[in-house]
Amino acid sequence: MFQYGSLKLFAFKIFFGLTLFLLASFTIVSLITYDSIDPGFKSIGNIREQDIKNFFGIFGSKYSSFLIVFIGHYTYIFCIYFLVCGTKYIFGIKHFRFIIKLLTIFLCYFFINTFLDILELDLYEYGLLSKIIIQLYDTIIINYSINNLLDIIIRITIFILSLYLLLISFNIKIRYFKKLN
């Protein structure tokens, strides 16, 4: 803990950590207070400023709407990752491969949403990026005439692999789950 290195590295880590932490906090609060009635990416309305239910007002409403439309509810995972990384950088805890882990979480985003498409959840927003990948996957499945059972097995395998990759990205070791028994 508190291993910053030089003064320049100390300033960079504190600034980067605070930026990640504040961005994640802003995003989480904005998403929690998101309301589909508020003006945003999908809705254009003549709603008054005092009628907006988002905690951050019109900016928070448009920001959360943009994230829900393009990324979906998986945005919470990105926020948690940014919150954890920001905290580690602020306190000087060593954190390696930030970009690689972020890209892994982004890849898991597609895989997990492809699996969740089987469940047809009404309250879960997939996001536009994920819907494009799901349609591409479904097109490939139809073109290769893969039956439903094989499709489900492929999706479950990809889902389990994605959960494992998420655990690696968050530095959660499998042995911690063995201790819970």
Side-chain angles (χ1 to χ4, degrees):
M1 198 160 155
F2 300 116
Q3 298 175 356
Y4 296 108
S6 67
L7 184 63
K8 193 187 306 185
L9 196 58
F10 169 76
F12 172 75
K13 285 185 177 183
I14 292 292
F15 177 75
F16 188 64
L18 279 174
T19 303
L20 285 177
F21 186 82
L22 292 175
L23 178 69
S25 300
F26 171 76
T27 305
I28 287 174
V29 171
S30 181
L31 286 172
I32 289 173
T33 59
Y34 168 77
D35 192 359
S36 59
I37 299 170
D38 288 347
F41 195 76
K42 279 186 176 178
S43 63
I44 301 172
N46 295 330
I47 193 165
R48 295 178 298 170
E49 185 78 29
Q50 57 267 32
D51 293 336
I52 295 175
K53 295 180 176 141
N54 196 297
F55 183 77
F56 293 109
I58 188 99
F59 181 72
S61 172
K62 289 185 178 187
Y63 178 69
S64 61
S65 175
F66 176 81
L67 289 176
I68 293 291
V69 167
F70 282 101
I71 299 177
H73 284 111
Y74 196 82
T75 306
Y76 288 105
I77 301 294
F78 287 114
C79 291
I80 292 169
Y81 180 68
F82 287 157
L83 207 60
V84 168
C85 291
T87 305
K88 284 183 175 182
Y89 281 121
I90 289 170
F91 289 115
I93 300 170
K94 288 188 178 184
H95 184 72
F96 300 107
R97 300 176 197 83
F98 173 77
I99 300 293
I100 293 173
K101 290 179 181 181
L102 182 63
L103 291 174
T104 303
I105 291 172
F106 195 71
L107 185 66
C108 291
Y109 157 72
F110 294 120
F111 292 156
I112 289 174
N113 283 339
T114 303
F115 169 75
L116 292 176
D117 184 49
I118 297 174
L119 304 177
E120 298 177 2
L121 303 171
D122 292 333
L123 298 176
Y124 183 77
E125 284 287 332
Y126 294 105
L128 189 62
L129 295 174
S130 184
K131 287 178 184 176
I132 291 170
I133 296 298
I134 290 171
Q135 287 177 352
L136 181 66
Y137 176 81
D138 289 341
T139 305
I140 290 170
I141 293 296
I142 290 171
N143 286 342
Y144 287 107
S145 301
I146 297 177
N147 64 13
N148 287 342
L149 181 63
L150 186 59
D151 177 35
I152 291 172
I153 291 171
I154 290 171
R155 289 184 192 221
I156 289 173
T157 305
I158 289 173
F159 178 70
I160 292 170
L161 176 68
S162 297
L163 289 180
Y164 182 70
L165 288 174
L166 273 178
L167 291 175
I168 291 171
S169 296
F170 281 101
N171 291 332
I172 299 173
K173 308 282 189 275
I174 300 296
R175 66 176 174 225
Y176 295 140
F177 292 112
K178 290 179 182 177
K179 291 180 182 179
L180 294 176
N181 289 335

